[in-house]
Amino acid sequence: MEGEPVNVNEFQELARQALPKIYYDYYSGGAEDEYTLKQNVEAFQGITIRPRILVDISRIDLSTTVLGYKISAPILIAPSAKHKWAHPEGEVATARAAAACDTIMILSYRSTCTIEEVASSCNAVRFFQCYVYKRRDISANLVQRAERCGYKAIVLTVDSPRLGRREKDIKNKMVNPQLKNFEGLVSTQVSTDDGSNIEAFDANTAFDASLSWKDIGWLRSITNLPVLLKGVLTHEDAIKAVEVGVDGIVVSNHGARQLDYVPPSISVLEEVVDAVKGKVPVLFDGGIRRGTDVFKALALGAQAVLIGRPAVYGLAAKGEYGVKSVIEMLRDELELTMALSGCPTLNHISRKHVRTKHERPR
Ligand code: FNR
């Protein structure tokens, strides 16, 4: 590719060129047939924008708040694992880029830099993502360390009672790196006795498969931080989430890496937003590659969106600068979309600004 990348897809191509196949496959792949993976992106194409004309757009304001924290634009970094596979500086580079863009990074429990390293790398608002393990003491340790280090919310991912089947990783015989955040807590040594490279404690098999709604209370009892649930795809679960008192919801299908043939997440956003009735903020992720995608998600009721792969592609292609460029690119595209559709602020973006397939104008 000649010259600087001009969009997220070009960053993906740069990442593909920069990374060993096994790592690129890990980042870009999805579960089984990758049907939902493709749909996550394509579903945005079935939504068109209804621009309004002759609106004063001489000043455009993209700033907003999430859980009371001001950010420059409604684009956060989704939790994703193993950033050192993309770049030697790992999550520290991602965190610095998020800080430079005045936005929030959600750190994955499976980061390759520790909770503490990321916290001390820059001054910014950060959230921490975790699962609940059979060994509750380990979950409590991670959550409480994040709280002590100044992370501002816990994002509990609830779409992974077991790991989805990612066939590219199976074919590539991918081996997980040691769990940095778990050092000293459990044995994280990679065993090679039988050549299988299975970790002594593998966070994936250690997930508590019996986790259910009553356990959200347990998480709340061990932290004062707000708790967001990530992985809600139905109105039934959105209503339950509000009933059990979560502080926010992330509509997400885990970037299509868990259950294949779930709907593209943009197609269920409105269902969740309608069920929640404004009681808690609804965030969104899955398939955001353009500023127009961000606009569409906001029009369908999301307060902000998270980006997963785009940030990792930026990191793989150009380190911290690449992540910053990706966020800025999406921010600039969103700004232009707002200008061309007559929305000087995020509050102006309404349901009437988009039309989904088979829908008449409202
Ligand atoms: C993820 N995602 C994820 N989610 C989570 O809650 N904990 C995690 O550790 C990870 N790890 C992870 C690794 C990689 C390589 C990817 C691509 C994704 C899911 C992530 O938070 C988010 O839901 C999706 O990535 C959003 O979709 P897009 O933006 O990648 O299309």
Side-chain angles (χ1 to χ4, degrees):
M1 183 197 316
E2 281 181 29
E4 284 283 301
V6 294
N7 59 43
V8 167
N9 291 332
E10 292 197 359
F11 262 107
Q12 175 165 359
E13 177 54 22
L14 286 184
R16 195 185 62 74
Q17 291 168 15
L19 291 174
K21 181 175 182 300
I22 182 171
Y23 296 166
Y24 177 75
D25 282 356
Y26 168 71
Y27 291 131
S28 60
E32 298 189 352
D33 296 334
E34 300 190 334
Y35 173 80
T36 301
L37 181 68
K38 207 157 158 273
Q39 289 286 310
N40 259 4
V41 172
E42 285 184 5
F44 279 99
Q45 294 171 358
I47 304 169
T48 48
I49 296 173
R50 303 182 65 243
R52 301 301 309 274
I53 54 171
L54 295 174
V55 180
D56 177 359
I57 50 95
S58 51
R59 292 188 55 178
I60 307 260
D61 181 5
L62 280 79
S63 66
T64 186
T65 59
V66 170
L67 299 181
Y69 298 102
K70 190 157 188 208
I71 49 177
S72 64
I75 303 166
L76 287 70
I77 308 264
S80 62
K82 308 171 201 164
H83 287 197
K84 280 197 179 171
W85 277 2
H87 188 271
E89 288 173 9
E91 289 81 3
V92 161
T94 314
R96 288 193 177 130
C101 293
D102 239 330
T103 193
I104 297 169
M105 171 188 180
I106 306 173
L107 183 72
S108 161
Y109 80 103
R110 203 180 241 294
S111 52
T112 41
C113 303
T114 62
I115 295 170
E116 290 79 7
E117 283 166 344
V118 174
S120 60
S121 68
C122 57
N123 213 355
V125 175
R126 272 176 301 269
F127 299 167
F128 179 69
Q129 177 269 323
C130 69
Y131 294 100
V132 174
Y133 304 107
K134 286 176 212 145
R135 278 198 44 195
R136 294 295 168 94
D137 59 314
I138 293 177
S139 301
N141 175 289
L142 297 176
V143 167
Q144 287 163 357
R145 273 163 60 199
E147 187 165 0
R148 270 201 305 278
C149 290
Y151 290 69
K152 300 297 185 197
I154 298 299
V155 177
L156 179 68
T157 299
V158 285
D159 54 21
S160 311
R162 288 165 57 175
L163 264 208
R165 189 179 152 82
R166 301 162 197 170
E167 294 181 356
K168 288 193 173 109
D169 296 345
I170 296 170
K171 276 222 176 270
N172 288 330
K173 298 192 171 31
M174 192 196 86
V175 175
N176 279 314
Q178 289 188 12
L179 295 159
K180 281 298 270 185
N181 285 318
F182 296 64
E183 278 172 7
L185 284 175
V186 288
S187 165
T188 56
Q189 289 306 309
V190 174
S191 152
T192 50
D193 291 356
D194 58 358
S196 63
N197 288 318
I198 304 250
E199 286 165 306
F201 175 91
D202 182 346
N204 301 333
T205 53
F207 292 164
D208 185 351
S210 75
L211 193 74
S212 62
W213 288 102
K214 65 182 182 341
D215 299 307
I216 306 299
W218 172 80
L219 182 60
R220 299 195 69 97
S221 75
I222 60 156
T223 179
N224 291 317
L225 295 177
V227 172
L228 308 184
L229 280 200
K230 175 172 179 283
V232 174
L233 290 175
T234 62
H235 67 266
E236 293 93 328
D237 284 342
I239 290 168
K240 281 202 158 177
V242 172
E243 277 169 12
V244 300
V246 301
D247 301 284
I249 285 175
V250 185
V251 172
S252 170
N253 57 26
H254 211 114
R257 298 164 75 81
Q258 283 297 104
L259 180 60
D260 201 12
Y261 295 98
V262 294
S265 37
I266 192 66
S267 73
V268 299
L269 172 59
E270 193 169 27
E271 163 182 343
V272 171
V273 167
D274 288 350
V276 166
K277 296 190 169 65
K279 289 177 187 151
V280 296
V282 176
L283 307 181
F284 168 86
D285 77 25
I288 296 278
R289 301 293 180 269
R290 284 282 185 189
T292 48
D293 298 339
V294 182
F295 182 93
K296 291 171 187 178
L298 299 179
L300 291 170
Q303 190 180 352
V305 305
L306 324 181
I307 52 167
R309 293 181 185 85
V312 178
Y313 295 147
L315 184 65
K318 290 170 185 279
E320 177 184 333
Y321 171 79
V323 182
K324 191 165 159 278
S325 302
V326 162
I327 301 170
E328 286 171 351
M329 215 172 239
L330 290 171
R331 194 171 67 192
D332 292 349
E333 287 178 4
L334 173 62
E335 204 241 7
L336 181 62
T337 307
M338 289 167 67
L340 294 178
S341 54
C343 297
T345 72
L346 300 179
N347 284 338
H348 286 84
I349 303 175
S350 73
R351 182 61 181 82
K352 291 187 173 167
H353 285 93
V354 291
R355 183 167 162 190
T356 57
K357 250 189 199 164
H358 317 302
E359 181 185 48
R360 286 160 179 271
R362 297 179 176 214

